[in-house]
Amino acid sequence: MTASSTRRTTATRNRLAAVGSIAVAGALLLTGCGDQTEGGGSDETTGTATQSAAPLADKLPQSIRDKGVIRVGSDIAYAPVEFKDESGKTVGIDPDLADAMGKQLGVKFEFENGTFDTLLTGLRSNRYDIAMSAMTDTKERQEGIDSETGKKVGEGVDFVDYFTAGVSIYTKKGDDQGIKTWSDLCGKKLVVQRGTVSEDLAKDEAEKCPSGEKLTIEAFDNDQQAQTRLRAGGADAGSSDFPVAAYAVKTSGGGNDFQLVGEQVEAAPYGIAVAKDQAELRDAIKAALDAIIENGEYTKVLEKWGVTEGAVDEAVVNGGK
């Protein structure tokens, strides 16, 4: 879930074709809902028995090793990154990656639902050990800066980057309203999720619109609410991260509700957020991610969800700009 991203140049935007090459028809197929238990982890065994077989268990802080659990703050309404399947289990790209990393570390990753714009607050208050929710790694977040006011609102967080995604626009199928680029949104109504780069981009674009062609922005707590509004005819277009927009296009109404328009923009890394004072946990997460990249489990997860174009070659700490 991108948010508060540093703006890129036109040249950067043009390079997004590589990410945008994921074919919607073949991407994000619902190939099964995964094998996670509620909370995102299929291994029911925790504690010393699991850790004894885990190659990276000794990298974790002792307090987490003792609990056998990493608490994950996540907005679990962002298919296919994380969402509830028909049985109520937490599934998606992030839970599958967390399950694979958990086997390296000998712990379970337990996903706890929260609204996206409160996840870092929950991390700071120790409600969560990490936040993993399609969250864009940005300098503002690293430094605890509010992107709108430019003021420092916290000590910031560290990120372990694990995926790359851009932002897309989508409309009702067969009714693109003449929208091909962000500038075409002037005079239109756009629905977005609150606190995301989609909202930031829309606000930036609204300032550029000519007089008499106002861009109206309606922000919701989650992306599903925005999609519902657009589906009901309450807006002209929606915007969200490319994997999410493409998944909605593929699955909503059996593929008959929405269509993507134009190319995605603002390609940036998703990061797993860790508190600044938890360097040991951060480094353990990085080691686990590098391990599953090397052993092929990472690629298997991305292939399962049809998002291999967003793959990274290695885990990077604080790679966002």
Side-chain angles (χ1 to χ4, degrees), residues 20 42 104 107 130 138 154 170-171 182 200 207 217 246 271 294 301:
S42 60
Q104 294 292 318
V107 295
I130 65 174
T138 67
Y170 59 98
T171 67
W182 280 84
D200 288 349
E207 295 179 356
I217 306 163
E294 184 176 352
V301 171

Side-chain angles (χ1 to χ4, degrees), residues 261-305:
V261 294
E263 296 183 355
Q264 60 176 310
V265 299
E266 295 289 316
Y270 284 173
I272 301 168
V274 186
K276 288 285 189 184
D277 62 356
Q278 295 296 320
E280 188 177 7
L281 175 58
R282 177 201 66 203
D283 293 345
I285 295 290
K286 181 184 185 303
L289 181 56
D290 278 329
I292 66 171
I293 290 173
E294 184 176 352
N295 71 16
E297 289 299 312
Y298 174 83
T299 299
K300 288 180 182 178
V301 171
L302 300 194
E303 287 176 344
K304 171 182 175 179
W305 294 102

Side-chain angles (χ1 to χ4, degrees), residues 16-39:
L16 298 173
V19 181
S21 64
I22 308 174
V24 172
L28 308 167
L29 292 175
L30 201 57
T31 56
C33 294
D35 58 359
Q36 283 69 39
T37 59
E38 178 63 19

Side-chain angles (χ1 to χ4, degrees), residues 12-319:
T12 302
R13 295 171 187 257
N14 291 339
R15 290 197 296 270
L16 298 173
V19 181
S21 64
I22 308 174
V24 172
L28 308 167
L29 292 175
L30 201 57
T31 56
C33 294
D35 58 359
Q36 283 69 39
T37 59
E38 178 63 19
S42 60
D43 188 349
E44 296 180 357
T45 304
T46 59
T48 57
T50 300
Q51 290 169 10
S52 65
L56 300 177
D58 61 351
K59 291 187 174 295
L60 283 169
Q62 188 62 50
S63 60
I64 289 180
R65 294 178 66 185
D66 291 344
K67 292 185 299 182
V69 168
I70 293 176
R71 300 166 300 163
V72 184
S74 188
D75 177 9
I76 309 175
Y78 211 61
V81 185
E82 50 262 316
F83 64 106
K84 300 282 188 178
D85 69 8
E86 293 180 356
S87 70
K89 291 182 180 179
T90 299
V91 299
I93 299 166
D94 282 358
D96 280 356
L97 291 175
D99 182 59
M101 289 190 292
K103 292 172 182 175
Q104 294 292 318
L105 295 168
V107 295
K108 285 180 63 177
F109 284 65
E110 290 189 350
F111 280 69
E112 301 179 18
N113 198 19
T115 55
F116 182 72
D117 57 359
T118 65
L119 296 181
L120 293 187
T121 301
L123 187 64
R124 287 193 291 267
S125 66
N126 199 37
R127 178 178 178 181
Y128 314 123
D129 297 309
I130 65 174
M132 188 175 186
S133 191
M135 183 176 290
T136 300
D137 173 4
T138 67
K139 287 296 184 185
E140 290 94 341
R141 285 199 174 114
Q142 293 171 25
E143 298 171 2
I145 304 296
D146 184 288
S147 63
E148 291 191 7
T149 66
K151 295 180 179 179
K152 192 171 181 63
V153 293
E155 68 273 22
V157 296
D158 286 333
F159 286 98
V160 180
D161 298 341
Y162 66 100
F163 190 75
T164 300
V167 177
S168 292
I169 301 170
Y170 59 98
T171 67
K172 293 185 73 173
K173 192 167 186 177
D175 186 19
D176 66 11
Q177 301 283 316
I179 299 169
K180 301 297 182 185
T181 67
W182 280 84
S183 61
D184 295 329
L185 291 169
C186 293
K188 303 289 196 293
K189 184 174 183 178
L190 180 73
V191 289
V192 297
Q193 180 172 355
R194 186 175 295 107
T196 62
V197 150
S198 291
E199 185 179 26
D200 288 349
L201 286 171
K203 288 178 179 179
D204 286 351
E205 196 61 48
E207 295 179 356
K208 305 173 189 175
C209 290
S211 177
E213 294 186 29
K214 178 183 177 182
L215 167 55
T216 302
I217 306 163
E218 188 172 5
F220 294 86
D221 285 341
N222 62 61
D223 204 69
Q224 292 175 348
Q225 293 171 347
Q227 291 175 20
T228 298
R229 181 70 162 168
L230 177 60
R231 191 183 297 111
D236 300 300
S239 177
S240 59
D241 290 2
F242 173 75
V244 178
Y247 188 86
V249 167
K250 177 65 181 177
T251 61
S252 182
N256 295 316
D257 286 345
F258 304 126
Q259 67 184 46
L260 291 173
V261 294
E263 296 183 355
Q264 60 176 310
V265 299
E266 295 289 316
Y270 284 173
I272 301 168
V274 186
K276 288 285 189 184
D277 62 356
Q278 295 296 320
E280 188 177 7
L281 175 58
R282 177 201 66 203
D283 293 345
I285 295 290
K286 181 184 185 303
L289 181 56
D290 278 329
I292 66 171
I293 290 173
E294 184 176 352
N295 71 16
E297 289 299 312
Y298 174 83
T299 299
K300 288 180 182 178
V301 171
L302 300 194
E303 287 176 344
K304 171 182 175 179
W305 294 102
V307 293
T308 55
E309 293 294 335
V312 298
D313 295 327
E314 62 179 342
V316 174
V317 173
N318 294 335

